[in-house]
Amino acid sequence: MRWSIDWFLLVPAVLITLFGLITMWSIGSEGGLASRQVVWLAVSLVVFTVISQMDLRFLRRTEVVVGIYVTAVGALLLLFSIGSVFQGAQSWFNFGFFAIQPADPAKLAVIILLAKYFSRRHIEIAHLRHIIVSGLYVGVMVLLLFLQPDFGGAIIVAGVWGAMVLVAGIPIRRLLLLAGIGAGVLFLLWNFGFADYQKTRILTFLNPLADVQGAGYNAFQSTIAVGSGGILGKGVGYGTQSRLQFLPEHETDFIFAAFAEEWGLVGVMILLTLFGLIMYRLQANARMGATNFESLFAFGVAAIFLVHAVVHIGMNIGLLPVTGLTLPFMSYGGSHLLTEYAMLGMISAMRRYNVSGRSAEPQEVVGVS
């Protein structure tokens, strides 16, 4: 077996994780979160290495995909009976010395499912029934995440579905139809689905200064932290908003703001460049896909990283409502870190037979309209 490591994916990801670790240590993480994250990074690198050496063509098999999807849905359902509540959301399995959030591997399951579904129906993707059927599959997970409630996770899964439908070749007229349906769903959610605190977050986003001591506090402090970093930043360990506890959740939901305060615009540009390198490499791997499945899977992974990063950074700089989403590779947390490095390992593994042309299926071309 030929040794396969895609260093152009791995190195930028590790550097981003190290930026996160430096930020956690500089803030003085309570409970040794930075030390725990080092352990998660080590485990994630082992997972990446092992997966990158596997032959993942078995993922194209329908029974495997169905099994992964059913397992993910089952785990989300199980949360409602034995899940632990953290910050108002029943979204964790607590094993004592560590906790797992099944929403993270569920996102991977969604990518595998959609890659399989659209790869077999690429020519017929313009038919509305395939958009509806794929939407129903994903809608089950979106609903389960929404009921936890994990509004941020539901947005990510829905966003990945929309991105993969677009990449699979949906006509513009269908896209406009989906936009109309989405507007209708938002209308119904606002009137019958959103909790009061979720409505408050959206209203606060529209006018963050209306209640800076209440609902708008997090967003307000985050924008202060980002803006106070200036060009060169305050220096590692000198971020006052984070160290003085003005900035909440500075190791997870607002780690970008904590980083920007200490590293400034220069550090932010370096961070965005690293993310850009990962996105560029993912789309390059997608275009070399041995079949539509590999291509769509790589595009799906790129979509999930992009949506996560855009929403996280957007809420940190006051452009999007606060939804409680982590920044890929950088925020504290073992579940998302393991899942993200596992995704990169899968892309690295697929690259091995993509390049060598040893695929058991004929090459197809993914169209984007």
Side-chain angles (χ1 to χ4, degrees), residues 12 16 266-280:
I16 293 172
V266 173
V268 168
M269 294 305 296
I270 295 173
L271 180 65
L272 294 180
T273 299
L274 293 173
F275 274 115
L277 291 174
I278 293 175
M279 299 303 297
Y280 174 80

Side-chain angles (χ1 to χ4, degrees), residues 183-194:
V185 170
L186 286 176
F187 175 80
L188 293 174
L189 287 175
W190 181 267
N191 289 280
F192 306 105
F194 286 155

Side-chain angles (χ1 to χ4, degrees), residues 29-223:
S29 306
E30 297 180 4
L33 295 184
S35 300
R36 287 185 228 169
Q37 192 72 346
V38 171
V39 176
W40 282 118
L41 173 59
V43 174
S44 297
L45 290 175
V46 171
V47 169
F48 170 89
T49 303
V50 171
I51 293 178
S52 66
Q53 308 311 309
M54 298 173 62
D55 187 338
L56 299 180
R57 282 174 283 194
F58 70 91
L59 291 175
R60 301 173 188 167
R61 293 160 52 187
T62 300
E63 61 271 22
V64 173
V65 176
V66 171
I68 292 173
Y69 175 77
V70 171
T71 301
V73 171
L76 293 177
L77 283 171
L78 195 59
L79 282 172
F80 295 103
S81 58
I82 63 173
S84 298
V85 178
F86 179 71
Q87 293 186 342
Q90 192 171 4
S91 56
W92 297 84
F93 289 130
N94 192 344
F95 297 99
F97 56 95
F98 73 95
I100 295 294
Q101 188 174 21
D104 291 309
K107 297 169 188 175
L108 174 58
V110 166
I111 297 174
I112 295 173
L113 172 72
L114 293 177
K116 174 63 176 178
Y117 187 89
F118 291 137
S119 66
R120 296 190 62 181
R121 296 165 177 86
H122 173 62
I123 298 176
E124 301 176 348
I125 190 60
H127 294 298
L128 185 60
R129 68 178 181 274
H130 294 312
I131 300 173
I132 294 175
V133 171
S134 65
L136 289 175
Y137 286 139
V138 175
V140 172
M141 286 195 178
V142 171
L143 179 62
L144 292 175
L145 290 170
F146 183 80
L147 292 176
Q148 290 181 10
D150 182 3
F151 186 52
I155 289 177
I156 293 297
V157 172
V160 170
W161 171 76
M164 292 190 69
V165 167
L166 179 62
V167 169
I170 180 174
I172 296 298
R173 65 182 182 276
R174 301 297 190 196
L175 183 61
L176 294 176
L177 176 62
L178 286 177
I181 294 174
V185 170
L186 286 176
F187 175 80
L188 293 174
L189 287 175
W190 181 267
N191 289 280
F192 306 105
F194 286 155
D196 289 338
Y197 80 92
Q198 292 170 328
K199 292 182 179 180
T200 301
R201 282 182 174 182
I202 295 174
L203 293 174
T204 302
F205 159 66
L206 297 175
N207 186 13
L209 298 180
D211 187 16
V212 296
Q213 296 300 321
Y217 179 83
N218 291 359
F220 182 64
Q221 294 297 332
S222 178
T223 55

Side-chain angles (χ1 to χ4, degrees), residues 289-307:
T291 71
N292 266 351
F293 177 84
E294 284 78 14
S295 295
L296 287 166
F297 180 83
F299 276 123
V301 172
I304 202 168
F305 290 160
L306 181 62
V307 175

